[in-house]
Amino acid sequence: LQDYLMHGAHGYLHEKEAASTRERSAIQLGRSCNFAEEHARWIARLSLSLFDSALAIGLHRYGTEERALLYHAALLHDVGLFLSFHNHHAHSRYIIRNADLLGFNRSEIEIMATAVYFHRKSSAKRNSDGYGDMSGDDRKLAHTLGLFLRMAESLDRSQQQTVSAARLERKHKQIVLALTLAHASPMELYAIDEVKGAFKKMFGKPFSVAAVLSP
């Protein structure tokens, strides 16, 4: 009933209430799957920073609604580990699709599930279940959000939160990923380097990394 009133023609529920319902629903699902909550919240933080900074330099034109989907997808990106590590991105997609999350319509759930599916390099099977039923705009959004998730996941590969800040900047017509490191982060720097090809394919330009150690 709550979901119906929120997405019905009259929009009875206040936007703030809707947002809190969404987050409570996502957190409840994550906890029921015994997710690593601290890691999930850190990935959400890094993902949103990448999303916001990419918007600021004109890499995309998505707004608050798409940003909210990225946030909730980040919270749930690893819930599939509840089943197994192998193909956990596919398990996460299945769980998100079938968990009856409150406050999301079917299109939003499919976008989040697909973004989570594409947050791993090994998941690049575009003919996967349900993918062909999505609209072109929804596919593009899911891939964009999935890329930010993949970048954020790379920046916390060790799950030690060694990358304390990350943002995209333009410097002399070049895209720079500016990182602040709390500690030496060899795993994260190696992992983010592997995302450069996907980033260039999405936005038409590569990025370079500028890392500063600031304990």
Side-chain angles (χ1 to χ4, degrees):
L1 177 61
Q2 186 178 44
D3 185 68
Y4 168 76
L5 292 176
M6 187 170 0
H7 290 288
H10 304 290
Y12 291 106
L13 294 184
H14 190 274
E15 182 179 353
K16 185 176 181 180
E17 294 174 347
S20 61
T21 299
R22 287 178 163 195
E23 184 167 4
R24 286 198 304 269
S25 183
I27 293 297
Q28 183 178 2
L29 173 59
R31 289 174 179 171
S32 71
C33 294
N34 196 29
F35 78 148
E37 186 167 345
E38 184 177 2
H39 170 67
R41 291 186 181 276
W42 195 256
I43 293 302
R45 177 179 178 272
L46 292 175
S47 297
L48 294 182
S49 180
L50 294 169
F51 179 96
D52 292 341
S53 58
L55 174 62
I57 62 175
L59 290 180
H60 68 80
R61 296 183 180 180
Y62 295 121
T64 55
E65 293 183 6
E66 294 84 2
R67 187 180 191 273
L69 294 181
L70 174 60
Y71 172 69
H72 293 100
L75 291 178
L76 298 171
H77 76 284
D78 272 349
V79 290
L81 288 170
F82 175 70
L83 298 176
S84 75
F85 178 80
H86 180 64
N87 287 333
H88 75 269
H89 57 290
H91 299 319
S92 296
R93 178 184 62 177
Y94 178 85
I95 292 172
I96 293 169
R97 279 177 171 174
N98 294 280
D100 292 328
L101 290 166
L102 289 176
F104 302 94
N105 61 38
R106 292 309 307 174
S107 176
E108 291 168 336
I109 288 175
E110 190 61 37
I111 289 169
M112 291 190 299
T114 304
V116 165
Y117 182 74
F118 280 102
H119 90 276
R120 292 189 69 197
K121 180 179 180 181
S122 61
S123 65
K125 296 180 181 178
R126 302 194 175 210
N127 60 345
S128 60
D129 178 42
Y131 183 79
D133 297 329
M134 299 176 69
S135 70
D137 288 342
D138 284 356
R139 289 184 190 180
K140 182 178 179 180
L141 174 58
H143 280 289
T144 304
L145 301 186
L147 177 61
F148 290 133
L149 279 177
R150 184 179 169 193
M151 293 177 71
E153 179 82 346
S154 298
L155 294 174
D156 196 34
R157 179 63 61 86
S158 63
Q159 297 193 19
Q160 297 297 313
Q161 301 179 6
T162 59
V163 177
S164 57
R167 60 177 292 106
L168 292 160
E169 302 174 348
R170 282 193 188 271
K171 293 185 177 180
H172 308 293
K173 298 183 179 181
Q174 302 297 316
I175 307 298
V176 176
L177 176 60
L179 304 178
T180 302
L181 310 181
H183 306 283
S185 308
M187 289 181 63
E188 285 71 21
L189 294 177
Y190 176 81
I192 196 63
D193 194 59
E194 294 187 316
V195 187
K196 289 181 177 179
F199 185 93
K200 183 177 180 180
K201 186 174 182 179
M202 174 67 68
F203 297 118
K205 293 184 178 182
F207 66 83
S208 59
V209 177
V212 176
L213 185 63
S214 180

